[in-house]
Amino acid sequence: MSRSGRNTDRRVRTAKKRTASSTRWLERQLNDPYVKQAKADGYRSRAAYKLIELDEKFRLIRGAKRVVDLGIAPGGWAQVVRKLAPKAGIVGIDLLETEPIEGVTILQMDFMDDAAPDKLTAALDGPPDLVMSDMAANTVGHKQTDHLRTMGLVEAAAWFAIETLEEGGTFVAKVLAGGTDTELLSLLKSHFKTVKHAKPPASRKGSSEWYVIAQGLKPRA
């Protein structure tokens, strides 16, 4: 609301070729303060603030030396790491094309490709101390199927983190409503000293996304 009491939210006229759902999405984007702030701050997506808020709470980034960004496109998270840990080596991967980011190695390929883990670790001068994943599977419209597909990616990311992180390292990943599945939660607790869930303020209230933060990778047997 403006000071005059009038609602200042911008409304979008429904174009002939635009569906009602896409019109609602566009209205939400135009009126989203995080979208406006991202443009002002030079971040490629509002998702940057989710990582900033998680970092403020869990101290994920400052002091990081080598970082892996799974699902890097469009690059907002990598931009945050570059700002908060400018000397860190960063490598990211995504199926989607991602515009170059200074100081970041970007691989355009499927993380589930057997060759992906080796290519990611080869791009860093040593084991990562932070693995972060904002990956989500393409939705098919069936809630249970979409959940299973996304959690399958999270599990693959978790195993990658467990197998490649240096001792004491951190893993942060997007999960869906309900948090981490029981088996995956048990896996993380067995390998990390602390495992917590959080929903940063920048995550839309109506969104089903949460984040799992696993810190302090235990020594490997």
Side-chain angles (χ1 to χ4, degrees):
M1 296 289 287
S2 67
R3 291 183 180 179
S4 64
R6 291 181 297 177
N7 194 324
T8 57
D9 283 355
R10 297 176 62 182
R11 296 191 178 278
V12 179
R13 293 180 181 179
T14 304
K16 290 182 179 180
K17 294 183 180 181
R18 186 184 295 141
T19 64
S21 61
S22 65
T23 299
R24 288 193 298 270
W25 178 87
L26 185 55
E27 283 183 345
R28 186 174 64 184
Q29 289 292 103
L30 290 172
N31 295 308
D32 189 325
Y34 283 101
V35 172
K36 296 174 183 177
Q37 192 63 44
K39 290 181 180 179
D41 292 344
Y43 289 123
R44 296 182 181 180
S45 69
R46 70 188 305 284
Y49 298 100
K50 300 174 190 177
L51 183 59
I52 290 170
E53 290 164 352
L54 289 171
D55 178 66
E56 288 174 350
K57 186 173 183 178
F58 298 101
R59 299 188 64 82
L60 307 171
I61 300 169
R62 290 169 179 81
K65 301 182 294 293
R66 292 173 291 275
V67 181
V68 176
D69 186 353
L70 305 177
I72 188 174
W77 277 25
Q79 287 180 303
V80 171
V81 175
R82 283 285 292 154
K83 183 176 182 179
L84 299 181
K87 295 183 179 180
I90 309 168
V91 58
I93 188 171
D94 207 297
L95 269 172
L96 300 176
E97 183 176 359
T98 307
E99 289 295 318
I101 301 172
E102 184 181 355
V104 180
T105 300
I106 300 173
L107 306 177
Q108 185 177 359
M109 64 184 298
D110 189 347
F111 172 64
M112 300 303 284
D113 187 313
D114 289 343
D118 287 342
K119 288 192 174 184
L120 285 166
T121 53
L124 294 173
D125 184 25
D129 47 18
L130 172 61
V131 171
M132 52 189 196
S133 169
D134 202 29
M135 294 190 295
N138 292 329
T139 58
V140 297
H142 185 267
K143 189 174 181 180
Q144 289 179 315
T145 300
D146 290 338
H147 180 88
L148 288 171
R149 286 165 54 127
T150 291
M151 292 311 296
L153 282 176
V154 177
E155 183 177 359
W159 273 113
F160 171 79
I162 290 166
E163 292 171 354
T164 62
L165 277 170
E166 70 176 17
E167 185 178 329
T170 296
F171 171 62
V172 56
K174 177 164 63 182
V175 295
L176 299 179
T180 310
D181 290 350
T182 303
E183 290 184 9
L184 181 54
L185 185 59
S186 177
L187 173 70
L188 292 175
K189 285 185 175 181
S190 69
H191 287 277
F192 292 86
K193 293 178 181 178
T194 64
V195 180
K196 298 180 180 180
H197 286 92
K199 188 175 180 68
S203 182
R204 292 189 174 104
K205 292 182 179 179
S207 169
S208 63
E209 70 181 14
W210 280 71
Y211 288 86
V212 60
I213 299 92
Q215 294 179 291
L217 182 73
K218 299 176 183 177
R220 294 181 180 84

